[in-house]
Amino acid sequence: VGVTRKNRRLLATIQRLTYECGWPPTVRELSEALGNSPTNAAGTHSQLKRLKALGYVSYGSSTNANAKLARTIRVVENFRTT
């Protein structure tokens, strides 16, 4: 299956928050930015797990770990949502 619309939205959010804050967002920050409860980040974590398996992001094992883009920004720009 490839990268889904939700995955593309998550990648764009990681890119935006990294640009705005100067460092990669945590899973909680991503969850909140996507309109989910920051204390219940299971859906966001599932998407990150999938994107990690596909090689698009890297992050630590903790829920509060920062999600970093594993590919260059130029590649990720192709996944911007409009």
Side-chain angles (χ1 to χ4, degrees):
V1 173
V3 179
T4 67
R5 181 177 290 180
K6 282 185 179 183
N7 294 154
R8 289 191 299 273
R9 182 173 173 228
L10 179 60
L11 287 169
T13 302
I14 293 169
Q15 180 181 5
R16 179 179 57 83
L17 292 176
T18 300
Y19 176 78
E20 290 174 1
C21 299
W23 58 83
T26 65
V27 176
R28 284 186 181 195
E29 290 167 338
L30 281 171
S31 185
E32 190 172 274
L34 293 168
N36 303 323
S37 167
T39 57
N40 186 7
T44 303
H45 189 66
S46 295
Q47 288 182 54
L48 283 170
K49 190 174 178 182
R50 174 172 169 67
L51 290 170
K52 184 177 182 180
L54 293 171
Y56 285 97
V57 297
S58 62
Y59 61 93
S61 59
S62 141
T63 300
N64 290 322
N66 292 33
K68 297 177 182 136
L69 295 174
R71 296 188 180 186
T72 64
I73 296 299
R74 187 175 56 214
V75 172
V76 175
E77 283 177 351
N78 293 328
F79 294 109
R80 272 198 184 150
T81 57
T82 56

mmCIF file of all heavy atoms in Angstrom, residues 27 45 48 52 58-68:
data_model
loop_
_atom_site.group_PDB
_atom_site.id
_atom_site.type_symbol
_atom_site.label_atom_id
_atom_site.label_comp_id
_atom_site.label_asym_id
_atom_site.label_seq_id
_atom_site.Cartn_x
_atom_site.Cartn_y
_atom_site.Cartn_z
ATOM 1 N N VAL A 27 5.792 13.293 19.863
ATOM 2 C CA VAL A 27 4.567 12.607 19.447
ATOM 3 C C VAL A 27 3.354 13.344 20.016
ATOM 4 O O VAL A 27 2.347 13.529 19.330
ATOM 5 C CB VAL A 27 4.586 11.122 19.878
ATOM 6 C CG1 VAL A 27 3.277 10.436 19.526
ATOM 7 C CG2 VAL A 27 5.755 10.404 19.227
ATOM 8 N N HIS A 45 0.942 7.725 17.006
ATOM 9 C CA HIS A 45 2.059 6.799 17.156
ATOM 10 C C HIS A 45 1.979 5.672 16.118
ATOM 11 O O HIS A 45 3.004 5.269 15.554
ATOM 12 C CB HIS A 45 2.091 6.235 18.574
ATOM 13 C CG HIS A 45 3.318 5.450 18.868
ATOM 14 N ND1 HIS A 45 4.574 6.019 18.924
ATOM 15 C CD2 HIS A 45 3.495 4.136 19.083
ATOM 16 C CE1 HIS A 45 5.459 5.075 19.168
ATOM 17 N NE2 HIS A 45 4.835 3.931 19.270
ATOM 18 N N LEU A 48 3.181 7.039 12.870
ATOM 19 C CA LEU A 48 4.638 7.203 12.904
ATOM 20 C C LEU A 48 5.348 5.860 12.759
ATOM 21 O O LEU A 48 6.372 5.760 12.078
ATOM 22 C CB LEU A 48 5.067 7.881 14.205
ATOM 23 C CG LEU A 48 4.834 9.369 14.280
ATOM 24 C CD1 LEU A 48 5.077 9.871 15.698
ATOM 25 C CD2 LEU A 48 5.722 10.108 13.297
ATOM 26 N N LYS A 52 7.937 5.076 9.933
ATOM 27 C CA LYS A 52 9.285 4.642 10.304
ATOM 28 C C LYS A 52 9.652 3.376 9.531
ATOM 29 O O LYS A 52 10.760 3.261 8.996
ATOM 30 C CB LYS A 52 9.369 4.390 11.804
ATOM 31 C CG LYS A 52 10.759 4.029 12.282
ATOM 32 C CD LYS A 52 10.796 3.865 13.783
ATOM 33 C CE LYS A 52 12.197 3.558 14.275
ATOM 34 N NZ LYS A 52 12.249 3.396 15.730
ATOM 35 N N SER A 58 12.276 8.954 11.689
ATOM 36 C CA SER A 58 13.006 8.202 12.706
ATOM 37 C C SER A 58 12.666 8.834 14.044
ATOM 38 O O SER A 58 12.410 10.034 14.127
ATOM 39 C CB SER A 58 14.510 8.250 12.451
ATOM 40 O OG SER A 58 14.982 9.575 12.529
ATOM 41 N N TYR A 59 12.620 8.020 15.071
ATOM 42 C CA TYR A 59 12.309 8.510 16.410
ATOM 43 C C TYR A 59 12.695 7.460 17.425
ATOM 44 O O TYR A 59 12.912 6.300 17.079
ATOM 45 C CB TYR A 59 10.823 8.882 16.550
ATOM 46 C CG TYR A 59 9.871 7.738 16.323
ATOM 47 C CD1 TYR A 59 9.421 6.966 17.376
ATOM 48 C CD2 TYR A 59 9.422 7.426 15.049
ATOM 49 C CE1 TYR A 59 8.561 5.904 17.175
ATOM 50 C CE2 TYR A 59 8.561 6.375 14.834
ATOM 51 C CZ TYR A 59 8.119 5.618 15.898
ATOM 52 O OH TYR A 59 7.272 4.568 15.684
ATOM 53 N N GLY A 60 12.761 7.866 18.703
ATOM 54 C CA GLY A 60 13.094 6.946 19.777
ATOM 55 C C GLY A 60 11.897 6.106 20.171
ATOM 56 O O GLY A 60 10.824 6.202 19.579
ATOM 57 N N SER A 61 12.054 5.319 21.206
ATOM 58 C CA SER A 61 10.991 4.395 21.610
ATOM 59 C C SER A 61 9.972 5.007 22.554
ATOM 60 O O SER A 61 8.900 4.470 22.737
ATOM 61 C CB SER A 61 11.604 3.160 22.264
ATOM 62 O OG SER A 61 12.358 3.559 23.390
ATOM 63 N N SER A 62 10.257 6.141 23.157
ATOM 64 C CA SER A 62 9.347 6.757 24.115
ATOM 65 C C SER A 62 8.236 7.530 23.412
ATOM 66 O O SER A 62 8.412 8.021 22.305
ATOM 67 C CB SER A 62 10.159 7.688 25.021
ATOM 68 O OG SER A 62 9.488 8.856 25.312
ATOM 69 N N THR A 63 7.067 7.653 24.055
ATOM 70 C CA THR A 63 5.955 8.416 23.493
ATOM 71 C C THR A 63 6.342 9.872 23.292
ATOM 72 O O THR A 63 5.864 10.533 22.387
ATOM 73 C CB THR A 63 4.727 8.335 24.422
ATOM 74 O OG1 THR A 63 4.361 6.976 24.559
ATOM 75 C CG2 THR A 63 3.560 9.119 23.871
ATOM 76 N N ASN A 64 7.220 10.392 24.125
ATOM 77 C CA ASN A 64 7.625 11.785 24.019
ATOM 78 C C ASN A 64 8.845 11.992 23.126
ATOM 79 O O ASN A 64 9.375 13.087 23.060
ATOM 80 C CB ASN A 64 7.907 12.361 25.411
ATOM 81 C CG ASN A 64 6.639 12.505 26.200
ATOM 82 O OD1 ASN A 64 5.602 12.851 25.661
ATOM 83 N ND2 ASN A 64 6.707 12.218 27.490
ATOM 84 N N ALA A 65 9.286 10.945 22.469
ATOM 85 C CA ALA A 65 10.457 11.068 21.605
ATOM 86 C C ALA A 65 10.158 12.003 20.438
ATOM 87 O O ALA A 65 9.046 12.049 19.938
ATOM 88 C CB ALA A 65 10.854 9.695 21.075
ATOM 89 N N ASN A 66 11.166 12.735 20.003
ATOM 90 C CA ASN A 66 10.994 13.628 18.873
ATOM 91 C C ASN A 66 10.967 12.830 17.578
ATOM 92 O O ASN A 66 11.775 11.930 17.375
ATOM 93 C CB ASN A 66 12.133 14.643 18.823
ATOM 94 C CG ASN A 66 12.075 15.604 19.973
ATOM 95 O OD1 ASN A 66 11.657 15.243 21.072
ATOM 96 N ND2 ASN A 66 12.466 16.824 19.742
ATOM 97 N N ALA A 67 10.032 13.174 16.690
ATOM 98 C CA ALA A 67 9.914 12.516 15.393
ATOM 99 C C ALA A 67 10.701 13.325 14.376
ATOM 100 O O ALA A 67 10.395 14.476 14.117
ATOM 101 C CB ALA A 67 8.457 12.427 14.979
ATOM 102 N N LYS A 68 11.721 12.736 13.815
ATOM 103 C CA LYS A 68 12.573 13.423 12.852
ATOM 104 C C LYS A 68 12.318 12.867 11.463
ATOM 105 O O LYS A 68 12.122 11.668 11.292
ATOM 106 C CB LYS A 68 14.042 13.221 13.207
ATOM 107 C CG LYS A 68 14.404 13.809 14.537
ATOM 108 C CD LYS A 68 15.841 13.520 14.884
ATOM 109 C CE LYS A 68 16.133 14.081 16.257
ATOM 110 N NZ LYS A 68 16.890 13.191 17.080
#
